[in-house]
Amino acid sequence: MPTFKIKTKQRMNVQGEFVDAGLSVQISTMCANPFDDVEKIHKAFIRVHGIDLKPEGYLSPGYLISTTI
């Protein structure tokens, strides 16, 4: 099962709080593209940083970058 590091590409405003570029989480998924399992990314950011990127529409490759670990 591949492990991915998901990082924010740019500074963004999430529900009134600024999030700097480079904020990251790690996820493991059976998918070759981690954005096919976007719910895992969503839950990881909430669990690790307490940030909900879903309502703002930031859970996409336009705002996040993934690398294989």
Side-chain angles (χ1 to χ4, degrees), residues 3-34:
T3 302
F4 296 93
K5 186 173 193 175
I6 313 293
K7 296 190 304 186
T8 55
K9 281 185 179 180
Q10 60 198 19
R11 188 172 183 196
M12 53 185 78
N13 185 347
V14 179
Q15 298 173 343
E17 296 201 24
F18 286 101
V19 175
D20 282 328
L23 189 70
S24 67
V25 294
Q26 290 182 13
I27 65 163
S28 294
T29 182
M30 294 301 291
C31 302
N33 180 357

Side-chain angles (χ1 to χ4, degrees), residues 30 34 46 52 55 66:
M30 294 301 291
I46 290 175
D52 190 358
S66 69

Side-chain angles (χ1 to χ4, degrees), residues 13-15 42 46 51-59:
N13 185 347
V14 179
Q15 298 173 343
H42 176 238
I46 290 175
I51 297 170
D52 190 358
L53 300 176
K54 194 172 194 174
E56 305 292 335
Y58 291 142
L59 290 174

